[in-house]
Amino acid sequence: MKLSLFLLSAAGTLATAKLSPVTRNGTSLLVDGKVWKMVGPNVYWLGLDENVTPPAGEPFYAPTKSSYPTKERITEVMATVQALGGTMIRGHTLGVSTGNPLSVWPEARVVNEQAFDPIDWAVYQAGLYGIRLLVPLVDNYDYYHGGKYNFLRWGGFDLNKNRDENNPLVQQFYTNATIVDLFKDYIKAIITHRNQYTNLTFAEDPTIFAYETGNELLGPIWGDMNSPADWVQEIAQYVKSLAPQKLVVDGTYGINKTHLSIEEVDIFSDHMYPVDTAKLQEDVRLVEAAGRPFFAGEYDWVGGNTANLQSMFKIIEETPSVAGDTFWSQFGHNAPDCTNYVYHSDGLSLQYGNPGNTANQNSRIKLIRKHFLAMSQGKEIAADEPLPAVPCPAPTSPTRR
């Protein structure tokens, strides 16, 4: 018997438990009629990783060092988010999985069912832990997990990011009808997929509360925010036609004022590199005026000075129209090896409980937990309150908070 099927059976009735859907009322997000805040980490590798070489015989694509994360690593993420007081995760490779032999779509309209296994497990475990998921659908870049350049190449445009980032032809991703239809077919393959562990389609499962049109979408000029409004509206409409209860986040990198009147967009977001409270306040002002909540989708949690991060958290906590924030980014043990941690090269990996953390890293993690608990539970704790332990391996059938 497969381990996954055994765990599903062992979980009993928890496997069929469903979270309540998240809805929007003006600038507020609601669950069961009460204000709900979206706070947690970015965990980009939940569906496909680039940081671990698996044991011999396991799927591995050497050119991009791609492999599927273990179930133990995925489950530990959920336990850690719960310990931090988080309510959700932004997970790129739960929805962006194209052009790699291990992807959901290794080639156009070719489905690799094996690629859904870690994605299914992540959605299943998130639901059991009471953690909701925000899922981007495409990436602006040309990373190991895929993005808009795959669709451009499949559509007949020989482009790659390193050579063609500033080529006006990258706009064909948004404007070429054949490529837009291809992208919509991919969206359908993701959203209508039925999870082997829950027997729910992703459209049916409220664990996934929102889809994001993409990650840091731009045109050919850095900072141009040029994902056309008609494309954003078409994709948002299509997502809602497949999954009417899902919220839609505008994945443009920045607040494009021409998008603020798109009724189908529920949440607008921006990323903070570095943390910039003036930019944050201007973003919030624009989005609030449009009657929508603002979400800080990524930020540097460990760089800069602590006072600046505290100021950003204070603004977010005291502004009702700010739905929440997700730091970049979370990693954990190389489970089932509970003695070693997984590292990423960008210097922004948050490793909860790592004995090798610096004093600054640990104080920032405690500050994040203080912020998350204030947002998610209205609970005030001391900035130096000890972090609760997270077992490794983490339980696959947890007790809800």
Side-chain angles (χ1 to χ4, degrees):
M1 181 182 291
K2 288 177 61 179
L3 173 65
S4 58
L5 293 177
F6 172 78
L7 290 171
L8 178 62
S9 175
T13 57
L14 275 176
T16 60
K18 288 177 64 175
L19 300 174
S20 298
V22 178
T23 61
R24 180 178 67 85
N25 182 18
T27 60
S28 297
L29 301 182
L30 306 175
V31 171
D32 295 328
K34 298 178 181 178
V35 172
W36 178 80
K37 296 294 185 177
M38 48 191 296
V39 289
N42 281 271
V43 189
Y44 76 84
W45 50 266
L46 287 171
L48 188 64
D49 192 26
E50 60 173 340
N51 301 285
V52 173
T53 300
E58 293 294 316
F60 182 62
Y61 183 57
T64 56
K65 299 181 180 179
S66 303
S67 64
Y68 298 126
T70 62
K71 288 179 169 62
E72 291 89 349
R73 285 181 65 199
I74 293 168
T75 299
E76 185 188 46
V77 163
M78 307 306 165
T80 302
V81 174
Q82 190 180 77
L84 281 169
T87 61
M88 52 78 68
I89 291 167
R90 183 171 178 258
H92 298 58
T93 55
L94 300 178
V96 185
S97 186
T98 54
N100 184 311
L102 302 186
S103 293
V104 169
W105 263 26
E107 301 173 30
R109 297 190 174 95
V110 175
V111 176
N112 172 17
E113 292 293 342
Q114 185 181 27
F116 275 115
D117 189 52
I119 298 171
D120 287 351
W121 184 257
V123 175
Y124 165 56
Q125 288 289 282
L128 295 189
Y129 272 89
I131 305 298
R132 292 174 172 83
L133 301 170
L134 164 60
V135 178
L137 291 166
V138 71
D139 209 312
N140 187 65
Y141 310 113
D142 210 0
Y143 294 140
Y144 76 101
H145 57 268
K148 70 181 183 183
Y149 289 93
N150 295 123
F151 293 94
L152 285 163
R153 290 190 285 267
W154 290 333
F157 295 89
D158 182 20
L159 303 174
N160 68 70
K161 180 183 180 296
N162 289 338
R163 185 188 64 214
D164 301 300
E165 182 177 17
N166 302 122
N167 189 328
L169 287 175
V170 299
Q171 288 303 92
Q172 292 291 317
F173 174 71
Y174 306 111
T175 61
N176 183 293
T178 299
I179 293 174
V180 172
D181 286 345
L182 182 63
F183 181 48
K184 288 165 75 172
D185 286 348
Y186 172 73
I187 292 171
K188 184 175 182 179
I190 292 290
I191 293 180
T192 63
H193 167 76
R194 187 170 296 278
N195 189 326
Q196 63 187 296
Y197 300 108
T198 66
N199 200 35
L200 296 172
T201 68
F202 291 162
E204 295 167 339
D205 192 342
T207 303
I208 300 172
F209 77 96
Y211 282 101
E212 187 171 5
T213 57
N215 175 60
E216 297 188 346
L217 294 177
L218 297 169
I221 301 172
W222 181 256
D224 63 9
M225 298 185 287
N226 192 9
S227 55
D230 56 353
W231 179 88
V232 174
Q233 183 170 38
E234 182 174 357
I235 298 305
Q237 288 175 341
Y238 188 65
V239 168
K240 287 179 179 283
S241 74
L242 297 172
Q245 287 194 313
K246 304 301 182 193
L247 303 180
V248 172
V249 181
D250 182 3
T252 304
Y253 196 170
I255 306 302
N256 184 325
K257 295 177 185 178
T258 70
H259 297 180
L260 293 172
S261 61
I262 300 173
E263 293 183 4
E264 292 82 3
V265 172
D266 295 287
I267 301 165
F268 291 94
S269 76
D270 202 353
H271 297 174
M272 301 289 161
Y273 297 111
V275 169
D276 184 337
T277 55
K279 179 184 179 185
L280 171 64
Q281 288 173 313
E282 176 60 13
D283 284 348
V284 171
R285 184 189 67 79
L286 289 170
V287 174
E288 185 177 296
R292 249 60 71 77
F294 173 81
F295 168 63
E298 295 182 18
Y299 59 91
D300 176 354
W301 68 277
V302 74
N305 64 72
T306 300
N308 201 33
L309 185 64
Q310 289 173 318
S311 295
M312 184 184 81
F313 287 164
K314 187 172 189 291
I315 292 168
I316 290 172
E317 290 166 16
E318 293 180 353
T319 309
S321 64
V322 179
D325 56 272
T326 44
F327 65 82
W328 184 272
S329 70
Q330 183 175 314
F331 284 83
H333 289 97
N334 190 19
D337 175 359
C338 292
T339 60
N340 292 297
Y341 283 80
V342 178
Y343 289 83
H344 185 54
S345 59
D346 64 4
L348 299 175
S349 302
L350 188 152
Q351 297 166 323
Y352 188 94
N354 186 348
N357 283 344
T358 66
N360 177 61
Q361 287 171 324
N362 281 329
S363 67
R364 294 287 182 96
I365 294 170
K366 291 176 181 178
L367 182 61
I368 288 169
R369 182 168 181 263
K370 174 179 170 63
H371 167 59
F372 283 1
L373 286 171
M375 292 287 286
S376 65
Q377 300 178 30
K379 183 178 179 181
E380 290 295 328
I381 63 169
D384 60 350
E385 181 170 309
L387 297 170
V390 174
C392 180
T396 57
S397 301
T399 301
R400 288 271 189 90
R401 273 190 319 225

